[in-house]
Amino acid sequence: MASRNPSQCPVTGQTADEGQNYPKICPGGGLLLAWQLKGKNVLIVGGGPVAAGRLVNVLDADAIVTVVCPQSGLCSEMAYRINTQKVVHQHIDTEFDPSTHFSMLDQFAMVLTAIDDVNLSKQICYRCRDLRIPVNVADVPPECDFYFGSLIRNGPLQVMVSTGGQGPKIASQTRQKIQAAIPKNVGQAISNVGKLRGMLRKKVPEVEMGARRMRWMIEVCEKWNLDEICEMNQDDMEKVLAGWENGYVPSYKQVKGKWISDVRWKKALFGKCPVVGYSSPYLSGLIGVVVGATAATAVLLGRGFRTST
């Protein structure tokens, strides 16, 4: 979870009273949530590029999607998703008609509109709110119960950057900078930690052991770096779990029998810093040492040859 200065609001700049250790409340933000849509019905009204983006978002969350849009109004991506991939539960090949389609709204957990008809979008929005259904009207912030941010996805890792609908392009630019700083293997590391955590929960299922399990998993993540966690296989996890009874987390060297992971030494020699992009200094340093030693040897041999002659 992101941390912030507990004494200063990043929006208003107001500081808390001296000695106060609680975060300052800063109104005006959105509540960022990981909405669980798996197995829930979602309605998308529209078939253009914006609707296609919304479709990908909700399908990534394993939603069951219905699209209302004439076939002639589908963009190439939407047509591909519906007709070729067949990832949409139901495609209603017609314009949205309030007199016909309002009656089906109550079966959906979420409604998304991405059409040019602002008045129709507002009608859908107001009807959804009457039914207490969360709704998003594309490009009309006042008619949105929630916003879609700029997303980063790497396996189980999901990061969202949101400007509350005020600056989508800036959100995208910020996302790119954050994404460049995230290690590419973090998704695999998270997956392996999840597997290890599941094995530990199976080994020690008691509810009262929850706090100890959490502390132990934290120690694993602190003792093993990302590259080392990525190399964990089933046997390695069993060896790590063997230390549970004694409250001890075996190190990478104790489990693998080597000091450094294969990925880590390759990164040290050939990798680049993910933030600034500079090449690793180790390879250039090693090359410098080799070249220097070779040159020095050649000079000494040359002098020795001239002396002997």
Side-chain angles (χ1 to χ4, degrees):
M1 180 180 294
S3 61
R4 69 183 191 214
N5 183 345
S7 64
Q8 184 176 38
C9 173
V11 178
T12 65
Q14 295 177 343
T15 57
D17 295 334
E18 185 176 358
Q20 184 175 339
N21 295 319
Y22 303 115
K24 192 73 176 177
I25 296 174
C26 301
L31 180 62
L32 303 184
L33 301 170
W35 200 332
Q36 300 300 302
L37 283 176
K38 185 174 183 178
K40 296 181 180 179
N41 293 310
V42 173
L43 174 66
I44 297 178
V45 181
V50 174
R54 300 289 192 258
L55 178 63
V56 172
N57 290 149
V58 295
L59 286 176
D60 279 348
D62 300 318
I64 301 171
V65 184
T66 295
V67 174
V68 177
C69 181
Q71 182 70 32
S72 60
L74 299 177
C75 69
S76 59
E77 181 179 352
M78 284 293 278
Y80 171 74
R81 304 286 188 195
I82 292 172
N83 302 322
T84 304
Q85 277 195 323
K86 300 187 184 301
V87 292
V88 169
H89 174 68
Q90 183 181 17
H91 173 216
I92 300 176
D93 184 8
T94 183
E95 298 281 359
F96 188 95
D97 183 355
S99 63
T100 302
H101 299 130
F102 268 3
S103 61
M104 72 177 188
L105 288 179
D106 59 1
Q107 66 182 281
F108 295 102
M110 176 187 289
V111 173
L112 313 172
T113 76
I115 54 178
D116 295 330
D117 190 333
V118 177
N119 289 329
L120 177 57
S121 289
K122 288 184 176 181
Q123 290 182 56
I124 297 171
C125 173
Y126 300 151
R127 181 58 178 166
C128 287
R129 286 177 175 169
D130 288 341
L131 296 170
R132 299 184 180 277
I133 301 170
V135 60
N136 175 282
V137 177
D139 295 327
V140 187
E143 312 305 341
C144 294
D145 294 327
F146 56 91
Y147 301 113
F148 285 86
S150 188
L151 302 176
I152 298 171
R153 180 74 183 271
N154 187 330
L157 177 69
Q158 292 179 277
V159 180
M160 186 179 87
V161 180
S162 174
T163 60
Q166 296 187 59
K169 181 59 179 178
I170 294 178
S172 177
Q173 293 170 333
T174 304
R175 175 193 60 78
Q176 292 172 11
K177 292 183 180 295
I178 295 173
Q179 189 165 14
I182 295 176
K184 295 185 182 300
N185 60 353
V186 69
Q188 181 60 50
I190 294 171
S191 294
N192 283 352
V193 167
K195 292 177 184 177
L196 181 62
R197 188 177 180 184
M199 292 169 65
L200 177 60
R201 185 178 292 275
K202 187 175 181 180
K203 178 183 179 73
V204 191
E206 293 81 8
V207 175
E208 60 271 18
M209 298 298 288
R212 183 185 167 191
R213 285 197 304 264
M214 184 177 295
R215 289 194 300 270
W216 195 82
M217 286 303 305
I218 289 173
E219 188 176 349
V220 171
C221 294
E222 290 176 343
K223 201 163 189 177
W224 290 58
N225 61 51
L226 282 180
D227 295 327
E228 293 168 350
I229 292 174
C230 284
E231 287 190 23
M232 269 192 187
N233 55 37
Q234 187 76 16
D235 291 339
D236 297 334
M237 293 180 189
E238 294 287 356
K239 292 177 182 177
V240 172
L241 284 173
W244 164 264
E245 299 297 340
N246 298 321
Y248 173 72
V249 175
S251 68
Y252 176 85
K253 181 179 183 297
Q254 290 170 322
V255 172
K256 290 285 195 180
K258 51 186 178 181
W259 283 100
I260 187 170
S261 70
D262 295 336
V263 174
R264 196 166 181 81
W265 76 259
K266 288 178 182 177
K267 280 186 176 180
L269 289 178
F270 306 108
K272 288 186 177 181
C273 171
V275 179
V276 299
Y278 294 150
S279 298
S280 167
Y282 299 108
L283 181 60
S284 57
L286 180 60
I287 293 174
V289 170
V290 172
V291 171
T294 302
T297 301
V299 170
L300 291 174
L301 289 175
R303 287 179 177 176
F305 177 77
R306 287 196 298 271
T307 301
S308 63
T309 56

